[in-house]
Amino acid sequence: MTIIEFYDKADINNIVGALVYKPHKVILIGDCNRDMNQSVEDYRRLLSKKGINTVIDPVKVETQNLHRIYDALVKIVEENEDCVFDLAGGDDLFLVAVGMIAQQYKDKVQLHRIDARKNTVTDCDAGLNTTEEIPLSLSVEELVSVYGGRVIYTEDLDDGTYKWDFNEGFIRDIEKMWDIFKDDPRGWNTQMNALDGMSGKYYGDEDLYIEANKEEAKAYLKTKDVKFVFFNRMFRRLASAGIIRGYNPGFDSGVFSFSFKNEQVKRCLTKAGQLLELYATYVARELFRDGEAFFDDVATGVYIDWDGKLSSEDEADVHNEIDIILMKGLVPVFISCKSGVVKVDELYKLSSVADRFGGPYVKKVLLSASLDDDKRNGPVVRARAKQMGIRIIDDVDNMSVSYFRKQLCMLWDN
């Protein structure tokens, strides 16, 4: 089989035929500019990693000349067997040319429309227009690679994507921390910011034990423009839940100390906003329908390098981190999690990365706790998000798990 695709800036449409049919060849028709040639290389790498031995053959045509397009298609049809035209991409002139080819070569070509958003294929031959579903999905890594990027992990870069282990014990820890968090999200963030600011002086990257004189820590954090707080009730609840161990509030000595339960818990307690990301990730991972996982892939703290090549420390490198990416079929959901003050700039960051690596079917979501507590900024954020097509799921801290699951499922209603 030979599938003919018309190069589309919506990259997923260019490669979906190869993913569906695993044909001998995909002929990609376009102007063969720099972007298209780079896309071809990206597609080849993806197919190779998925074990699909499809040849991708780019063909250059004058995209605004109907006769040149028609001549190119005639040559393709006469030189290849079992030609299937995918009608999902391309400009109007391409589709006009395909109509002319379909009349001339009725018994030699097929016309299909592959809908990457709905995971369906429509057979457009002979006016039948029969549609069938296709079981097709991409991982987060594969999606990013389609658009020329690469997911970077901590093995290659300290700030890269951390591979969390969502074992049963850690899930229970997330639930326990969430019960404490939702009583005072802003207080939680302030405390975690203070613990984060103590890194390097009162505990190291490899340490689970922290010990600090409160007055000294307060003075130290002031030099870093970080507010020092010490919420004894919060620490006592964490200790009671087994999240921290050996807790000493230091009321007499002025020196407090405790040990984080493990490395993953430490990461949750030394970064404001981390817990919201992990809670949402956990709920998404545990979401099932009809006995099957609702999402095909769930990733958190996704560090995306835009050109897929790590630069040296002396070179500028374009990258972004997305809090959560969900995959359902070929449709991604890019989520920004904010448990504190939300700045309008965050919406632009989310939209920019989602549009670049999510393609035309991407869904953009702002997940927040207590957005409307900010009486002045909250309405501005809501208005701007609506303009930018970003859906807001707010007050997650006040939702039951079952209701939050419904909110995630409802992302596919529109």
Side-chain angles (χ1 to χ4, degrees):
M1 177 187 291
T2 298
I3 296 181
I4 298 93
E5 302 275 5
F6 302 108
Y7 183 72
D8 193 324
K9 289 183 179 180
D11 294 59
I12 192 65
N13 290 328
N14 302 324
I15 194 66
V16 67
L19 297 173
V20 172
Y21 296 109
K22 302 178 177 60
H24 167 68
K25 182 189 295 185
V26 169
I27 296 178
L28 190 59
I29 299 176
D31 53 16
C32 287
N33 58 17
R34 181 179 179 180
D35 288 343
M36 177 175 167
N37 290 330
Q38 181 59 56
S39 294
V40 169
E41 294 303 315
D42 295 333
Y43 305 154
R44 286 170 175 165
R45 281 194 293 271
L46 172 62
L47 294 178
S48 177
K49 288 182 179 180
K50 293 181 75 68
I52 299 175
N53 300 316
T54 294
V55 175
I56 299 183
D57 186 9
V59 173
K60 183 176 182 178
V61 297
E62 294 182 27
T63 58
Q64 300 303 313
N65 188 315
L66 176 60
H67 295 292
R68 294 291 177 85
I69 297 172
Y70 173 77
D71 290 341
L73 297 188
V74 167
K75 188 173 186 295
I76 289 170
V77 171
E78 292 185 346
E79 292 180 351
N80 297 273
E81 298 293 331
D82 301 323
C83 289
V84 178
F85 286 91
D86 179 12
L87 305 181
D91 296 328
D92 291 342
L93 287 182
F94 285 115
L95 300 180
V96 171
V98 171
M100 297 165 63
I101 292 292
Q103 285 294 319
Q104 184 174 348
Y105 296 92
K106 293 182 180 179
D107 299 327
K108 196 172 182 181
V109 302
Q110 299 181 59
L111 308 181
H112 289 184
R113 183 182 295 276
I114 304 174
D115 190 329
R117 181 175 61 86
K118 297 180 179 179
N119 262 20
T120 60
V121 176
T122 301
D123 187 343
C124 302
D125 297 324
L128 296 177
N129 289 329
T130 57
T131 300
E132 61 178 320
E133 293 186 2
I134 48 176
L136 197 59
S137 65
L138 288 177
S139 68
V140 170
E141 284 188 14
E142 290 169 342
L143 172 80
V144 172
S145 71
V146 166
Y147 294 94
R150 176 185 166 199
V151 176
I152 305 297
Y153 292 92
T154 51
E155 295 95 306
D156 299 315
L157 190 70
D158 289 343
D159 293 333
T161 308
Y162 180 75
K163 295 181 180 179
W164 295 89
D165 179 6
F166 286 88
N167 57 66
E168 184 175 347
F170 185 53
I171 289 175
R172 301 291 84 78
D173 289 339
I174 291 174
E175 293 174 333
K176 292 174 182 177
M177 287 186 283
W178 184 253
D179 284 340
I180 300 171
F181 164 88
K182 65 185 183 181
D183 284 347
D184 185 7
R186 293 184 183 274
W188 176 280
N189 287 340
T190 304
Q191 185 63 76
M192 300 317 144
N193 273 329
L195 291 179
D196 185 18
M198 296 180 193
S199 174
K201 184 173 178 63
Y202 297 102
Y203 66 92
D205 291 341
E206 306 300 324
D207 299 329
L208 294 180
Y209 179 73
I210 176 173
E211 179 180 288
N213 180 286
K214 297 175 187 177
E215 290 303 318
E216 290 180 0
K218 183 177 181 179
Y220 173 70
L221 291 182
K222 187 175 182 180
T223 66
K224 303 176 68 174
D225 199 26
V226 176
K227 182 180 180 181
F228 175 82
V229 295
F230 182 81
F231 296 141
N232 178 55
R233 181 174 181 273
M234 184 179 295
F235 284 124
R236 285 194 177 281
R237 292 185 67 184
L238 290 170
S240 177
I243 301 300
I244 61 175
R245 296 168 175 171
Y247 172 56
N248 178 5
F251 290 142
D252 296 329
S253 64
V255 177
F256 76 90
S257 62
F258 62 83
S259 292
F260 300 101
K261 179 179 180 180
N262 53 45
E263 172 62 25
Q264 295 201 141
V265 163
K266 176 184 174 182
R267 285 177 173 267
C268 293
L269 298 183
T270 54
K271 179 184 176 183
Q274 184 70 82
L275 183 59
L276 177 58
E277 295 176 25
L278 289 175
Y279 175 74
T281 300
Y282 142 63
V283 173
R285 286 169 54 93
E286 298 290 310
L287 184 55
F288 285 81
R289 178 173 287 181
D290 298 328
E292 296 185 356
F294 188 78
F295 297 107
D296 296 296
D297 195 18
V298 179
T300 185
V302 186
Y303 184 108
I304 300 176
D305 186 274
W306 279 47
D307 63 5
K309 302 173 184 177
L310 281 178
S311 302
S312 65
E313 294 182 0
D314 298 330
E315 297 177 314
D317 198 15
V318 181
H319 66 271
N320 287 94
E321 182 178 326
I322 292 296
D323 294 334
I324 301 174
I325 301 179
L326 311 175
M327 291 299 304
K328 184 169 178 60
L330 301 178
V331 177
V333 183
F334 280 56
I335 302 177
S336 177
C337 298
K338 297 298 173 187
S339 56
V341 175
V342 182
K343 298 180 180 179
V344 172
D345 286 352
E346 296 297 330
L347 301 179
Y348 287 100
K349 292 178 184 178
L350 170 63
S351 188
S352 173
V353 184
D355 291 343
R356 174 66 176 78
F357 292 99
Y361 313 120
V362 67
K363 296 177 181 292
K364 296 171 279 191
V365 178
L366 172 65
L367 190 65
S368 64
S370 307
L371 172 64
D372 291 330
D373 286 356
D374 188 343
K375 301 299 183 182
R376 184 174 65 176
N377 193 52
V380 176
V381 171
R382 285 189 177 278
R384 190 59 56 87
K386 184 177 182 180
Q387 292 174 350
M388 300 175 69
I390 298 174
R391 180 165 179 170
I392 295 178
I393 300 178
D394 189 25
D395 290 330
V396 181
D397 49 314
N398 293 320
M399 292 181 186
S400 65
V401 177
S402 60
Y403 186 74
F404 185 34
R405 290 194 188 106
K406 291 179 181 178
Q407 292 296 304
L408 293 177
C409 288
M410 285 171 60
L411 293 174
W412 268 260
D413 291 344
N414 49 42

